[in-house]
Amino acid sequence: MASCVKEGLFFVGEDPQLGHIRGLDPWAVDNGIHLIRMEPDKTEGIMMIRESNQQQYGTVHGGMLVAFADTIAGHSLVPHGKMCVTQGSTVNFLRPADGAYLFCRATPVKVGKRICVVSVEQRNDRDELVTTALFTFAVAEEISPFLAEPKYPNLTF
């Protein structure tokens, strides 16, 4: 994680279209959420912290943290050929979310025919764990599996 802050800000700043992989929803991109990679064992994303996603105390609003986790978790099922809707979630807020950006890693735990479960961790730019979460998704549609290899392979956390 030695140069994550520099790399995270550099790549998102240099390539603002980073989030537009397989149609990541415009709401997510407009809110600074960018998809980095989608692979069968993990999906990763980054969210830039800015005034529009902070609450009055200067840290990221809890609702934004949940939306970020939900977005990346849902995309983690695309490599398995699943288009899903969120059925439920449990989010544990461990520390205030601040810094330049947040990183999110979603790992599918169970990919079933009708129900999928995904584990999520969010970390700040100091590699401190900010949230853990568990999402349950209902499969809405079977789709062709799609992988998004990282555009920048060295951008890892």
Side-chain angles (χ1 to χ4, degrees), residues 1-13 18 32-37 39 41-49 68 72 98-107 121-130 150-157:
M1 161 113 180
S3 59
C4 282
V5 172
K6 181 178 176 236
E7 288 180 359
L9 291 175
F10 172 79
F11 285 113
V12 174
L18 186 63
I33 297 171
H34 300 277
L35 190 62
I36 296 172
R37 73 185 77 229
E39 298 170 345
D41 62 335
K42 69 181 173 195
T43 294
E44 297 174 337
I46 189 170
M47 181 175 78
M48 306 316 292
I49 296 177
F68 178 34
I72 302 304
D98 59 6
Y101 68 89
L102 294 172
F103 170 73
C104 182
R105 177 176 290 132
T107 306
E121 285 189 353
Q122 292 175 322
R123 295 182 174 274
N124 62 21
D125 58 5
R126 295 176 304 281
D127 199 30
E128 297 169 329
L129 192 59
V130 173
K151 188 169 184 180
Y152 301 103
N154 295 329
L155 182 59
T156 59
F157 298 84

Side-chain angles (χ1 to χ4, degrees), residues 61-131:
H61 189 281
M64 281 301 304
L65 293 172
V66 174
F68 178 34
D70 182 51
T71 298
I72 302 304
H75 280 77
S76 76
L77 299 166
V78 172
H80 298 276
K82 309 288 184 186
M83 184 175 295
C84 298
V85 295
T86 307
Q87 187 174 32
S89 65
T90 300
V91 180
N92 301 295
F93 300 95
L94 306 176
R95 68 174 27 92
D98 59 6
Y101 68 89
L102 294 172
F103 170 73
C104 182
R105 177 176 290 132
T107 306
V109 175
K110 165 76 170 144
V111 179
K113 183 174 176 145
R114 294 187 209 158
I115 300 292
C116 300
V117 177
V118 178
S119 175
V120 177
E121 285 189 353
Q122 292 175 322
R123 295 182 174 274
N124 62 21
D125 58 5
R126 295 176 304 281
D127 199 30
E128 297 169 329
L129 192 59
V130 173
T131 71

